[in-house]
């Protein structure tokens, strides 16, 4: 009774549903098979068959199809190997190289000399869609033409999506040949900077692969806006570049091509487009140029401005000068009226000091008395 139960449990765990292995054509496929007991099978027998008939690979205590044992089907000769170092762990997995569409089918791994039947089933699917190829066919400053190419066993669906996952309408060109994977090409024109995806799906295999490409709409810089700004430091030239991609290099140059030192007032990026505003101080009469260069797209544009006369810097007021001017104004407002009043006698100055012990001071009209002399 216990032996029967053990056999049933092994049948349920070792047979079961087939494991699915999905690979691209011309790639290698590893078909897994191992004993649950992980016992050494280097001296045992295991046999691989395709669709219950074709001999794929047989190993018997060190003798196998790759070292002289006859009987292997022509389809698999020279393309099947096993893992010698894993036999001691009960691993009978094999690898089929350079897989073809004809290799698709159900494979069985059998240990015929076990006390009970132990067979594993693997479904091999050859023709899985490889990663699609997405590329840029044409570029302008306003749009980019994308192309996506996908190949795989039909039914195969291919979609182009934007960064938010929205499916984009596109022109498709499907092609297929009997007995071979189908090929689908999609073309689409996009007008915004984003990451675009080409998604190939094979629902029958639960297989999906994706390729992504970043797209930047080439916003070639338009003619910059130049003007002059009068500051306390003198005449300053200002150049403004808006909505440019790739990021431009901006320089102020004189008539001879000499690059002027500049001060960057603003440099911002939004949605992949750059805004740049910079200034340069000038000290001479000349024709100056604001030059905008985008080497990545071979684009250069400039704007000129003539400076006829550079005015001198406006003088500033130092702290010492402000103190001197304040004193002069105070003297004029207060001192001058006092001087006039003194001159005309409206104001007299009394320089005598009062003697607190002897009373008020003597005036010039008071005669000297004997008492005064005694003092």
């Amino acid at each position: 009774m216990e032996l029967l139960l053990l056999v049933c449990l092994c049948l349920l765990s070792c047979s079961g549903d087939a494991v699915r292995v999905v690979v691209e054509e011309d790639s290698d496929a590893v078909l897994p098979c191992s004993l649950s007991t992980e016992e050494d099978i280097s001296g045992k027998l295991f046999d691989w068959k395709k669709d219950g008939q074709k001999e794929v690979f047989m190993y018997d205590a060190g003798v196998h199809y790759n070292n002289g044992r006859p009987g292997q089907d022509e389809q698999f000769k020279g393309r099947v190997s096993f893992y010698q170092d894993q036999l001691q762990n009960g691993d009978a997995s094999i690898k089929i190289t350079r897989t073809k569409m004809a290799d698709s089918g159900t494979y069985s791994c059998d240990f015929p000399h076990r006390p009970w039947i132990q067979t594993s089933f693997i479904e091999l699917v050859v023709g899985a869609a490889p990663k699609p190829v997405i590329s840029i066919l044409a570029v302008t400053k306003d749009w980019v033409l994308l192309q996506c190419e996908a190949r795989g066993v039909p039914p195969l669906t291919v979609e182009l999506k934007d960064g938010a996952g929205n499916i984009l309408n596109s022109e498709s060109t499907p092609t297929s040949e009997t007995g071979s994977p189908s090929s689908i090409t999609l073309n689409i024109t996009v007008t915004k900077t984003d990451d675009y995806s080409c998604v190939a799906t094979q629902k029958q295999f639960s297989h999906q692969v994706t390729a992504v490409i970043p797209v930047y709409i080439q916003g070639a810089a338009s003619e910059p806006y130049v003007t002059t700004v009068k500051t306390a430091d003198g005449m300053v030239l200002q150049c403004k570049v808006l909505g440019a991609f790739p990021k431009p290099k901006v320089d102020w140059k004189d008539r001879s091509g000499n690059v002027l030192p500049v001060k960057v007032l603003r440099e911002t990026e939004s949605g992949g487009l750059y805004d740049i505003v910079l200034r340069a101080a000038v000290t001479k009469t000349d024709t100056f140029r604001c030059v905008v260069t985008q080497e990545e797209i071979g684009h250069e544009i400039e704007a000129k401005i003539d400076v006829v006369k550079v005015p001198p810097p406006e003088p500033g007021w130092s702290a010492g000068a402000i103190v001197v001017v304040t004193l002069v104004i105070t003297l004029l407002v207060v001192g001058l009226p006092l001087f006039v009043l003194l001159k005309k006698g409206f104001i007299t100055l009394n320089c005598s000091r009062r003697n607190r012990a002897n009373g008020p001071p003597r005036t010039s009209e008071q005669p000297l008395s004997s008492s005064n002399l005694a003092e």
Side-chain angles (χ1 to χ4, degrees):
M1 183 66 179
E2 291 180 356
L3 179 61
L4 179 61
L5 179 60
L6 181 62
V7 171
C8 292
L9 289 173
C10 185
L11 286 173
L12 290 173
S13 62
C14 300
S15 298
D17 295 333
V19 175
R20 174 176 288 173
V21 176
V22 182
V23 297
E24 301 172 17
E25 191 172 18
D26 293 323
S27 65
D28 298 342
V30 176
L31 307 185
C33 176
S34 61
L35 290 177
S36 58
T37 58
E38 297 185 359
E39 63 184 270
D40 188 354
I41 59 173
S42 57
K44 307 293 184 181
L45 168 68
F46 61 87
D47 187 23
W48 281 89
K49 286 185 172 64
K50 179 179 181 292
D51 299 328
Q53 298 177 349
K54 292 184 178 182
E55 279 292 338
V56 179
F57 190 81
M58 180 181 285
Y59 175 95
D60 188 5
V63 180
H64 50 82
Y65 286 147
N66 291 344
N67 66 1
R69 184 183 183 93
Q72 187 178 31
D73 191 277
E74 290 292 331
Q75 178 180 343
F76 299 102
K77 282 187 177 181
R79 295 198 300 126
V80 183
S81 61
F82 69 105
Y83 297 91
Q84 178 74 51
D85 59 341
Q86 293 300 315
L87 294 178
Q88 60 184 355
N89 300 319
D91 190 346
S93 303
I94 60 172
K95 179 172 70 174
I96 303 175
T97 61
R98 306 182 306 279
T99 56
K100 304 298 179 184
M101 295 287 292
D103 295 333
S104 296
T106 301
Y107 291 73
S108 61
C109 173
D110 184 30
F111 293 87
H113 293 170
R114 298 285 293 169
W116 54 85
I117 298 174
Q118 179 168 337
T119 304
S120 298
F121 295 94
I122 294 89
E123 180 186 0
L124 176 61
V125 178
V126 180
K131 188 175 182 178
V133 177
I134 187 168
S135 56
I136 295 175
L137 297 184
V139 177
T140 73
K141 70 182 184 67
D142 299 315
W143 53 262
V144 171
L145 176 60
L146 297 178
Q147 183 177 84
C148 174
E149 298 176 281
R151 185 172 181 269
V153 173
L156 172 70
T157 60
V158 183
E159 297 171 326
L160 273 166
K161 299 181 179 181
D162 62 15
N166 301 309
I167 299 175
L168 309 176
N169 294 326
S170 57
E171 298 179 0
S172 63
T173 307
T175 61
S176 62
E177 297 178 6
T178 304
S180 66
S182 63
S183 177
I184 298 178
T185 301
L186 301 182
N187 292 332
I188 189 168
T189 299
V190 296
T191 58
K192 67 176 183 177
T193 296
D194 204 348
D195 290 334
Y196 293 90
S197 304
C198 180
V199 184
T201 306
Q202 293 166 302
K203 290 184 179 179
Q204 71 274 31
F205 306 149
S206 300
H207 178 67
Q208 187 177 87
V209 282
T210 303
V212 180
I213 190 170
V215 171
Y216 297 94
I217 301 302
Q218 302 274 347
S222 56
E223 183 176 330
Y225 175 72
V226 296
T227 185
T228 58
V229 180
K230 189 177 180 182
T231 69
D233 298 325
M235 184 69 70
V236 174
L237 302 178
Q238 178 171 291
C239 179
K240 183 183 294 184
V241 181
L242 302 177
F245 178 85
K247 183 180 178 180
K249 183 177 182 292
V250 186
D251 293 307
W252 269 110
K253 298 181 179 181
D254 61 16
R255 190 196 308 269
S256 301
N258 300 310
V259 178
L260 308 181
V262 297
K263 178 181 179 181
V264 179
L265 295 186
R266 186 176 74 191
E267 184 177 300
T268 59
E269 182 269 335
S270 178
L273 302 179
Y274 290 86
D275 294 346
I276 299 175
V277 180
L278 51 78
R279 289 180 175 180
V282 294
T283 58
K284 64 179 181 179
T285 298
D286 202 347
T287 298
F288 297 92
R289 298 176 297 134
C290 178
V291 183
V292 183
T293 307
Q294 294 167 292
E295 293 182 355
E296 294 91 334
I297 58 175
H299 179 69
E300 182 174 289
I301 192 169
E302 65 179 42
K304 298 180 180 179
I305 188 168
D306 293 320
V307 176
V308 178
K309 185 177 181 181
V310 179
E314 295 181 0
W317 290 91
S318 65
I322 293 175
V323 171
V324 172
V325 171
T326 303
L327 290 174
V328 172
I329 293 175
T330 303
L331 289 173
L332 291 175
V333 172
V334 177
L336 185 59
L338 285 174
F339 177 77
V340 172
L341 291 174
L342 285 170
K343 191 72 176 175
K344 292 182 176 286
F346 291 106
I347 296 177
T348 60
L349 296 178
N350 189 351
C351 297
S352 300
R353 289 190 303 172
R354 180 172 179 171
N355 191 322
R356 294 183 179 178
N358 302 308
R362 181 180 60 84
T363 63
S364 58
E365 298 178 354
Q366 186 178 6
L368 295 175
S369 62
S370 57
S371 62
N372 290 39
L373 290 174
E375 294 178 358

